[in-house]
Amino acid sequence: MLADGRRGALVGPRGDIAWMCVPGWDSDAVFAALIGGDGWYTVTPTQSYVWGGYYEPGSLIWRSRWTTTGGIVECRETLAYPGDAHRAVVLRRIMAVDGDADLDVQLNPAAGFGAHPLRKIRRDGAGDWTARAGDLHVRLRGCPAARADGSLLRSGVRLEAGRSRDLVLEVSDRPLPSPEPAGVLWRSTEAEWARAGTGGAAPCRHFGERG
């Protein structure tokens, strides 16, 4: 579970965010695959893998960790903290820890528990993708080579060993502000969790599901 005080998101072993309500805890879900609806956001290795993961101490920053047939890849992920009342910001940093990494990224938000898929999908000159899902505003950064297939945005990501890639997803019930650099968002989130001290989540680990 990822959370920012305003909302929560659930991440599964395939790097699948399968549940998140926006803008608040009691709003309709924009990712509803958990209950069999439409709407998901996945970052998944293309090779067979064994999955694990852990929370960074004193925080709700989660590290998905996959041991694949080609090496080890991690995805550091969190909701930007503290959360904005109107805008959810999902931060995902993919890291090729050992060996090269190939991943499949899919974004398919659907507002209203799956009733309103992505529309008005556009890519700007900076390579950022913007769209609408019902009344929600959506922006994805970090996947300039993605392709739109109906309401689905999909991209392959290849990382050489030791390299990383930041993905930033924003979903808001208001027009989106000017984009902030991923590094700035990560640093402010880390600083807030450090200030929260023991108010964050205790470290834990989960292992064992095979891809």
Side-chain angles (χ1 to χ4, degrees):
M1 182 177 182
L2 314 178
D4 62 7
R6 301 283 187 175
R7 61 196 64 84
L10 298 179
V11 184
R14 295 180 300 279
D16 47 324
I17 296 182
W19 182 261
M20 186 173 76
C21 296
V22 177
W25 295 99
D26 58 349
S27 302
D28 288 354
V30 68
F31 300 134
L34 181 71
I35 59 171
D38 284 332
W40 61 85
Y41 176 27
T42 62
V43 175
T44 312
T46 59
Q47 297 175 311
S48 297
Y49 57 84
V50 174
W51 172 76
Y54 59 95
Y55 285 110
E56 295 182 7
S59 77
L60 285 178
I61 298 173
W62 173 258
R63 283 183 182 249
S64 291
R65 182 178 175 92
W66 299 281
T67 301
T68 74
T69 53
I72 297 172
V73 58
E74 291 188 353
C75 185
R76 191 182 188 216
E77 40 205 348
T78 192
L79 293 176
Y81 177 70
D84 180 276
H86 298 279
R87 179 173 60 118
V89 181
V90 183
L91 304 177
R92 309 186 87 168
R93 177 170 287 171
I94 311 166
M95 298 169 287
V97 177
D98 181 12
D100 298 341
D102 290 286
L103 301 102
D104 180 47
V105 177
Q106 295 188 25
L107 176 64
N108 185 34
F113 297 97
H116 305 290
L118 277 189
R119 57 188 175 85
K120 297 184 178 180
I121 303 172
R122 297 184 179 88
R123 185 177 61 182
D124 66 17
D128 300 340
W129 290 91
T130 60
R132 299 292 298 273
D135 294 331
L136 298 175
H137 300 260
V138 179
R139 179 165 60 205
L140 176 66
R141 291 183 282 144
C143 283
R147 294 183 179 181
D149 181 7
S151 63
L152 174 69
L153 272 175
R154 184 169 187 171
S155 179
V157 173
R158 179 169 179 80
L159 294 175
E160 295 179 354
R163 303 298 295 271
S164 64
R165 167 93 57 99
D166 280 312
L167 308 180
V168 180
L169 172 66
E170 300 164 86
V171 185
S172 176
D173 64 353
R174 293 184 175 180
L176 292 165
S178 298
E180 300 170 85
V184 171
L185 292 167
W186 271 110
R187 287 191 292 273
S188 61
T189 296
E190 291 161 352
E192 288 297 330
W193 278 119
R195 277 191 282 271
T198 57
C204 63
R205 291 180 181 268
H206 304 279
F207 296 94
E209 182 159 337
R210 184 178 298 274

